[in-house]
């Protein structure tokens, strides 16, 4: 991991703090479940997503920050090795997809993948951010507000990704070497290059969703 790229505490994009830290957002009890005071963290109804008024946040400032760091790092690594790669154009497409998703988060917006390649990249960002949160989360997010919903990355696969059509490509990218998880973009590039339907990765999925 290129730790020189990681944002320093206090220098994160201002848009990150637009993401919520509580579910209710109001000091008054919820009119439906009546268990919430300032938050839904201890409410059994909200925990089961059974209340239409209380939505447990999937993206908090700290969770979004880990996704940003993951996206920046993966994009940087792709561009660093681009000239030495046999598939530099494909690497450029991947890097740009990571950057597009990251830019949305930096503005305080939910990332909305518009193609299978962006779905794949967002999936990889979630996977990488899960590891990063354990390693450097507390350091990078020291100045950000705390939430009881921080780092629930497993929810993001359902809330941010519209479907699972990209998942076969995840299996071609994520490899394990010893005890370390690595992202083998060169192997992915070769798999896509050999595929007769590789164009589907870059086709817009906005209308379909």
């Amino acid at each position: 991991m290129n730790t020189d790229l990681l944002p320093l505490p206090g220098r994160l994009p201002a848009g990150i703090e637009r993401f919520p830290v509580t579910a209710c957002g109001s000091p008054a009890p919820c009119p439906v479940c009546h268990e919430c005071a300032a938050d839904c963290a201890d409410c059994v109804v909200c925990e089961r997503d059974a209340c239409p008024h209380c939505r447990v946040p999937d993206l908090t400032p700290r969770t979004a920050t880990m996704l940003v760091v993951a996206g920046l790092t993966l994009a940087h690594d792709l561009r660093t090795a681009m000239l030495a790669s046999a598939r530099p154009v494909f690497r450029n497409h991947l890097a740009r997809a990571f950057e597009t998703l990251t830019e949305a988060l930096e503005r305080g917006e939910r990332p909305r993948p518009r193609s299978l390649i962006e779905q794949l990249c967002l999936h990889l960002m979630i996977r990488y951010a899960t590891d990063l949160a354990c390693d450097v989360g507390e350091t990078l997010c020291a100045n950000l507000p705390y939430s009881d919903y921080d780092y629930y990355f497993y929810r993001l696969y359902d809330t941010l990704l519209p479907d699972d059509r990209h998942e076969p490509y995840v299996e071609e990218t994520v490899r394990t070497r010893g005890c370390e998880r690595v992202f083998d973009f060169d192997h992915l590039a070769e798999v896509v290059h050999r595929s007769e339907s590789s164009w589907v990765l870059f086709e817009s999925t906005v209308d379909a969703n």
Side-chain angles (χ1 to χ4, degrees):
M1 180 178 63
N2 179 12
T3 54
D4 292 337
L5 190 67
L6 304 182
L8 297 175
R11 297 178 58 187
L12 295 167
I16 288 291
E17 295 197 43
R18 294 179 182 174
F19 292 106
V21 294
T22 63
C24 291
S26 171
C30 173
V32 175
C33 60
H34 303 293
E35 295 292 335
C36 305
D39 192 12
C40 299
D42 298 320
C43 176
V44 176
V45 177
C46 294
E47 186 178 46
R48 297 172 181 169
D49 292 332
C51 178
H53 292 272
C54 303
R55 298 297 181 189
V56 173
D58 55 348
L59 281 174
T60 65
R62 292 181 176 223
T63 303
T65 295
M66 290 297 97
L67 289 176
V68 167
V69 173
L72 288 174
T73 304
L74 292 170
H76 179 270
D77 290 348
L78 279 163
R79 294 198 181 282
T80 298
M82 190 176 299
L83 294 180
S85 171
R87 307 290 178 195
V89 174
F90 181 73
R91 276 182 168 262
N92 182 65
H93 282 306
L94 280 175
R96 187 60 199 135
F98 281 123
E99 290 162 354
T100 297
L101 296 165
T102 299
E103 288 163 3
L105 289 162
E106 290 177 329
R107 294 191 299 268
E109 300 171 1
R110 297 176 66 82
R112 302 187 185 280
R114 300 166 298 175
S115 63
L116 286 185
I117 199 71
E118 289 190 1
Q119 288 183 35
L120 168 63
C121 289
L122 184 53
H123 188 120
L124 297 178
M125 286 168 62
I126 297 170
R127 184 78 65 91
Y128 191 19
T130 304
D131 296 336
L132 286 175
C134 296
D135 296 336
V136 295
E138 292 308 307
T139 300
L140 293 179
C141 300
N143 294 336
L144 288 173
Y146 168 81
S147 171
D148 286 322
Y149 310 103
D150 288 333
Y151 309 145
Y152 284 178
F153 292 106
Y154 68 91
R155 291 173 57 90
L156 301 182
Y157 293 112
D158 294 323
T159 61
L160 295 184
L161 294 167
D163 54 56
D164 59 1
R165 288 179 295 160
H166 65 283
E167 290 190 359
Y169 296 101
V170 174
E171 297 174 4
E172 299 290 353
T173 309
V174 181
R175 301 299 183 92
T176 301
R177 293 176 184 168
C179 298
E180 184 181 5
R181 182 157 55 195
V182 298
F183 299 93
D184 193 342
F185 293 114
D186 286 330
H187 176 71
L188 173 65
E190 291 305 316
V191 170
V192 171
H193 179 70
R194 293 195 302 267
S195 172
E196 295 181 357
S197 59
S198 60
W199 58 270
V200 175
L201 272 174
F202 303 96
E203 187 179 45
S204 174
T205 57
V206 174
D207 292 337
N209 295 316

